Amino acid sequence: MLNQSVRSNQFGGSLPRSQRQRSQRPRSICVRLATIATPGGPRLHVRARSGYVDAAEATGDARLSSLQYVLQAGRPAMEALRPLQHRDGREVAEADFAAAVPSPPRILCLGLNYGEHALEGGREIPTWPDAFVRGADSVLPPYADLVRPALTERFDYEAELGIVIGSGGRYITADKALDAIAGFVVVNDASARDWQRAATQWTAGKNFEGSMPIGPEVVTTDEVDVSDLAISSTLNGQVMQSARTSQMLVDVPSAVEFFSSFTRLAPGDVIATGTPGGVGFARNPPVWMHPGDVIEVTVETVGTIRNRIVAEEGAPSDWRWRPGTRRGK
């Protein structure tokens, strides 16, 4: 575990954690938002006193059927949703949950953001954030089948806390970061390690279609303090990863500050904050996800996502692009 002074020295942070994690804005909107599949398509719901309430139906505002609209509209939309949590809603089956952020404009990711994970991969603890990007088509509902791509033999799990951007912006300082965040989600940054390690860039191994389950809810910043939460993954009931978010090298406020240094964060963007040690490729022998396995990722207070691994169907058996071949020959 890296202590607070090490993290500050490496990445330039100087504010106490309590100040970095909590801004001085009014704190009144405590909401858990889920996107649920309905006969009319995916619709935004609020977790209520019991079950879930359809936001647009309950308010009479059709625009509130979309999480993206709520994030763009900001505080007024969130205030309209807040009273719904005190109602009685309907129970929802796990199979009906859509991805908590159905179509994020971007998924910005931190790699090697826990010291133990960097070391288990044979690397030094980084002195600068490692960043990469995922595409929107890589997101998956929180309880859907997770397809193991036919082109990989090394399908791995990564338990992560995800940040959902609300107002966003450029040059957002760490002490103002929570003003730019709408909430938090649980993420499994499932990775095709052979593709990831076949070249110097990670893009291919991190972007197979439907490889990043995200959910089950967007939990607003007033609902949870993410500065020191337990984070874990279990594979077929066996604990594989177990850590705390306080072990991040770049904490949540600093992650927002870092990415806003070079890009304008937009409503609906997701930041995946990296995974702790215990991933499959670093074990001896390595542990990969296979069809029939069940992978579960939990972030304390935020939630749990659970996915059964299934084989990809219909992939060409003679596809020439596979790691281990020379330039696809």
Side-chain angles (χ1 to χ4, degrees), residues 58-231:
T59 60
D61 187 343
R63 298 173 299 178
L64 297 180
S65 64
S66 163
L67 173 67
Q68 187 63 29
Y69 171 79
V70 170
L71 297 179
Q72 291 172 339
R75 193 172 188 86
M78 294 294 287
E79 289 286 8
L81 297 178
R82 184 161 62 93
L84 303 185
Q85 65 187 324
H86 304 299
R87 298 191 183 186
D88 291 316
R90 66 180 181 91
E91 296 302 319
V92 176
E94 288 186 348
D96 291 332
F97 279 78
V101 187
S103 299
R106 290 174 304 180
I107 306 164
L108 304 167
C109 306
L110 287 173
L112 308 177
N113 198 28
Y114 289 77
E116 183 182 4
H117 178 52
L119 294 173
E120 73 180 354
R123 299 170 180 264
E124 295 182 354
I125 294 175
T127 57
W128 185 262
D130 251 300
F132 60 95
V133 178
R134 270 184 174 266
D137 70 341
S138 70
V139 302
L140 187 75
Y143 306 112
D145 287 346
L146 176 55
V147 177
R148 173 186 157 173
L151 299 179
T152 183
E153 300 296 327
R154 300 178 180 182
F155 200 35
D156 206 349
Y157 52 84
E158 291 194 3
E160 303 196 13
L161 171 71
I163 303 167
V164 181
I165 296 300
S167 61
R170 276 294 303 281
Y171 297 113
I172 304 166
T173 56
D175 61 319
K176 300 294 185 182
L178 284 193
D179 294 334
I181 296 173
F184 304 98
V185 290
V186 182
V187 167
N188 182 355
D189 182 24
S191 306
R193 297 295 188 197
D194 36 9
W195 281 78
Q196 181 183 349
R197 291 171 169 257
T200 59
Q201 302 298 312
W202 296 2
T203 301
K206 295 287 190 175
N207 275 277
F208 275 89
E209 184 179 12
S211 61
M212 194 184 83
I214 180 170
E217 303 165 326
V218 176
V219 181
T220 60
T221 57
D222 295 279
E223 183 82 7
V224 60
D225 178 354
V226 299
S227 60
D228 184 34
L229 299 177
I231 180 171

Side-chain angles (χ1 to χ4, degrees), residues 36-43 65:
I36 308 295
T38 74
R43 292 172 66 88
S65 64

